[in-house]
Amino acid sequence: MHNEPQRAFIAPQRPEHISVETTRLSLTALKDADLDAVMAVFADKNSARMTHAIPHPLERGEAEALLTQMSATPFTHWAIRLDDEHLIGIISLTKSACGTSGGIHSFGPNLSVFIAPAYQGQGYAIEATDGLLRWCKKRKLHRIIHAAHFADNEASASALIKADFLYTGRRTMETSLAREGEHLALHMIRIL
């Protein structure tokens, strides 16, 4: 996950007033009160290993900085909340590049989805992805969405395939703050 500051891709309403609704979830703006839940999403070593920019262990100060950074630009990072407003994950759609950017590999904004370990395997990532991308399509914000996952992340591969992403054949070597060295990342797209 790349967390560089991004320009907002829409601004018709204030982000705190927008909620993307799915059958079981609401995608809303992140807020300061979400800090402990954000830490729970990324606290697990296996979860952090599947990101680019989340260290393990994740210290509270690092999580505060991460939350501030994710909240700085509207409509790039969304809280994934259950009906009771409990944050169980984060979904982002940023204009950051994964690997070498430009040329034929500029597929569109980059999608990342992270679900807290206690809520993984229940279809929430697929539901959140579909909800956000339907919202984008309805507003004609994007035509193609890019996603990538580390080759050893079978759960992400499965979720992205179920969310109608297709492999592009592009492979890059990527780093993660929670693991040593470079690791193979596989790239995918979804056409809206």
Side-chain angles (χ1 to χ4, degrees):
M1 182 167 105
H2 295 286
N3 291 314
E4 304 98 39
Q6 306 295 320
R7 286 190 315 192
F9 49 82
I10 62 168
Q13 294 179 320
R14 296 174 55 110
E16 61 269 15
H17 297 286
I18 293 183
S19 180
V20 176
E21 302 295 323
T22 71
T23 303
R24 302 177 293 171
L25 306 170
S26 295
L27 309 180
T28 64
L30 290 161
K31 48 192 174 193
D32 292 342
D34 291 329
L35 180 61
D36 290 331
V38 168
M39 289 185 71
V41 169
F42 296 115
D44 179 66
K45 182 176 183 176
N46 290 326
S47 296
R49 290 182 73 248
M50 299 308 167
T51 73
H52 288 88
I54 307 297
H56 183 78
L58 178 63
E59 303 294 333
R60 190 167 189 85
E62 293 167 325
E64 288 171 348
L66 177 64
L67 181 59
T68 298
Q69 189 175 23
M70 289 189 298
S71 301
T73 306
F75 308 109
T76 57
H77 293 82
W78 302 72
I80 301 171
R81 300 181 194 280
L82 294 175
D83 287 338
D84 64 0
E85 294 298 311
H86 178 70
L87 185 148
I88 63 164
I90 296 170
I91 186 168
S92 66
L93 195 56
T94 64
K95 294 189 180 189
S96 64
C98 186
T100 305
S101 61
I104 64 169
H105 299 299
S106 294
F107 296 123
N110 187 56
L111 175 83
S112 296
V113 185
F114 300 98
I115 303 293
Y119 298 93
Q120 292 176 1
Q122 300 176 49
Y124 292 127
I126 299 162
E127 186 174 332
T129 298
D130 188 59
L132 181 57
L133 297 187
R134 278 187 294 107
W135 185 82
C136 290
K137 182 178 180 178
K138 182 177 179 181
R139 287 154 184 80
K140 298 180 180 175
L141 299 174
H142 305 291
R143 177 105 172 85
I144 299 174
I145 305 298
H146 173 261
H149 65 84
F150 285 113
D152 62 346
N153 190 344
E154 293 176 19
S156 283
S158 177
L160 288 167
I161 290 167
K162 288 176 183 173
D164 296 327
F165 278 79
L166 301 171
Y167 284 102
T168 65
R170 180 176 180 225
R171 297 165 163 246
T172 56
M173 297 304 290
E174 305 285 336
T175 60
S176 168
L177 292 179
R179 56 166 102 184
E180 292 184 23
E182 291 187 330
H183 300 272
L184 181 65
L186 308 175
H187 297 258
M188 305 176 82
I189 59 170
R190 176 170 159 180
I191 298 171
L192 302 183

